[in-house]
Amino acid sequence: MALCVMDTARALACRDGTAATNLKLISIFVIFFTSVIGITLPVFLARFLFHGKTVHDKAILIIKCFAAGVILSTSLVHVLPDAFTALSDCQVSSRHPWKDFPFSGLVTLIGVLTALLVDLTATSHVESHQNQAEGYAAVGNSEELGILSKKIDVEQQQREAEELVKLKQRLVSQVLEIGIIFHSVIIGVTLGMSQNQCTIRPLVAALSFHQIFEGMGLGGCIAQAGFSFGTTAYMSFMFSVTTPMGIVLGMIVFSMTGYDDTSPNALILEGLLGSLSSGILIYMALVDLIALDFFHNKLMSGQSSLKKVSFIVLVLGSTSMSILALWA
């Protein structure tokens, strides 16, 4: 109880509504600008600088490895600890049932299993459509089937396989964006409701770099998935505006209700949503990004130098995002 009193006194000393509002208005434009830079940079490099060149596939792979490191670090070093801290706050952990069970771990597990379910469902859907197409193509008598089997084009099979890979990559990008949007909304609303200028001031600078690296992570996946220009622009726009919109929403909620971002209900909501998004991001980073590229990518097979470079870039992405945890 004494710790709660000390924390409250420290927070009251830093509360200044006018200064906090000014900082939040600045943060809306700064975070939007840095988000646009982060997510469009890998897309621009893939579409205009490396497109059509022999190094295109390798460049995309390296960008994606950096992205995987950023997303893995985001989930384990940023999102999950914040969710655990929110549910471990003395205002929450002193109440039932929050003091009786580690809900942050449970909801993270639910996020992992949910991402797996979505992955399995989408993969099964794609495979069933492929099997139906093959079944329709195989209708006819044995002589016709023999002729058709001889006419099967190896290049056509390769194109179909590549298309399945693209569909998988697009699914990964879309589910990944959902997990990141959860995380971004939580950050934005929490910042928007906060009246603590001591917290907001360093957070704006840290979140700017945070959005750059996280944007590069998502942008690398979008670039590899090969979306159309319209879809790419839409996904980039949604990522860029989510945190600023969250800040605006938080400011509106506070001005209308005076809702305290440090209240038990706010902390519980933050902890549960953070845990869920953390589970989704952990699954996507380890299964759909790292495992897929390092163990099932044709470019990796037989090229030890590319494996080494990819691993170094993966570590670099993880390290860059982890260092930001010192400030945000």
Side-chain angles (χ1 to χ4, degrees):
M1 184 62 68
L3 183 61
C4 285
V5 172
M6 289 176 62
D7 290 343
T8 303
R10 191 181 299 113
L12 287 172
C14 288
R15 281 186 175 271
D16 185 337
T18 304
T21 300
N22 292 334
L23 287 171
K24 284 183 277 190
L25 291 174
I26 293 171
S27 70
I28 290 172
F29 296 100
V30 172
I31 291 174
F32 174 76
F33 182 68
T34 53
S35 299
V36 170
I37 292 175
I39 196 166
T40 56
L41 184 61
V43 174
F44 177 81
L45 291 175
R47 280 184 176 269
F48 301 106
L49 191 60
F50 297 119
H51 187 69
K53 297 183 179 180
T54 54
V55 295
H56 177 263
D57 291 337
K58 291 182 180 179
I60 291 294
L61 177 62
I62 290 173
I63 291 172
K64 194 179 173 187
C65 287
F66 182 86
V70 168
I71 292 163
L72 185 61
S73 176
T74 298
S75 60
L76 292 174
V77 183
H78 290 259
V79 186
L80 185 57
D82 288 346
F84 181 81
T85 301
L87 293 179
S88 299
D89 189 275
C90 56
Q91 299 182 76
V92 177
S93 60
S94 60
R95 301 164 59 181
H96 293 288
W98 309 102
K99 69 177 183 179
D100 303 320
F101 192 84
F103 280 95
S104 57
L106 174 65
V107 179
T108 300
L109 175 61
I110 292 173
V112 172
L113 296 177
T114 301
L116 174 60
L117 179 62
V118 171
D119 211 353
L120 288 173
T121 304
T123 303
S124 300
H125 181 71
V126 171
E127 288 176 350
S128 65
H129 275 277
Q130 185 190 25
N131 292 335
Q132 286 178 9
E134 290 174 354
Y136 292 143
V139 174
N141 57 39
S142 57
E143 183 178 348
E144 290 174 340
L145 290 176
I147 295 172
L148 285 173
S149 63
K150 292 178 183 178
K151 290 183 178 180
I152 291 176
D153 189 358
V154 176
E155 293 183 1
Q156 179 65 23
Q157 289 182 321
Q158 290 177 344
R159 282 195 295 270
E160 290 176 358
E162 289 173 1
E163 185 61 28
L164 285 175
V165 171
K166 284 291 182 185
L167 288 172
K168 173 71 173 178
Q169 290 168 348
R170 288 168 186 169
L171 173 68
V172 168
S173 301
Q174 290 165 344
V175 176
L176 191 60
E177 180 155 30
I178 291 171
I180 290 175
I181 282 176
F182 266 132
H183 171 47
S184 298
V185 167
I186 293 168
I187 291 175
V189 172
T190 304
L191 179 60
M193 290 194 302
S194 177
Q195 300 300 303
N196 190 325
Q197 61 170 331
C198 300
T199 301
I200 296 173
R201 189 178 290 109
L203 198 58
V204 173
L207 282 178
S208 299
F209 288 101
H210 177 278
Q211 291 299 103
I212 288 176
F213 287 126
E214 200 170 67
M216 290 178 67
L218 180 60
C221 297
I222 292 173
Q224 190 183 47
F227 286 107
S228 64
F229 177 80
T231 304
T232 301
Y234 173 74
M235 293 180 73
S236 301
F237 176 77
M238 287 301 298
F239 169 79
S240 301
V241 301
T242 300
T243 303
M245 285 177 64
I247 296 172
V248 173
L249 179 61
M251 293 174 69
I252 293 171
V253 169
F254 180 81
S255 65
M256 292 178 64
T257 64
Y259 195 64
D260 188 3
D261 60 305
T262 61
S263 69
N265 289 337
L267 290 169
I268 290 169
L269 183 62
E270 178 186 347
L272 293 179
L273 288 178
S275 298
L276 184 67
S277 62
S278 175
I280 293 172
L281 294 176
I282 289 171
Y283 175 86
M284 301 306 291
L286 290 176
V287 177
D288 284 331
L289 297 178
I290 296 174
L292 197 64
D293 282 336
F294 279 88
F295 298 106
H296 303 288
N297 194 307
K298 294 179 181 178
L299 289 175
M300 288 284 195
S301 59
Q303 296 193 42
S304 59
S305 59
L306 183 61
K307 286 182 180 179
K308 292 175 183 176
V309 171
S310 298
F311 182 77
I312 291 171
V313 171
L314 174 69
V315 173
L316 182 62
S318 301
T319 305
S320 302
M321 200 64 179
S322 297
I323 291 173
L324 288 179
L326 291 171
W327 301 280

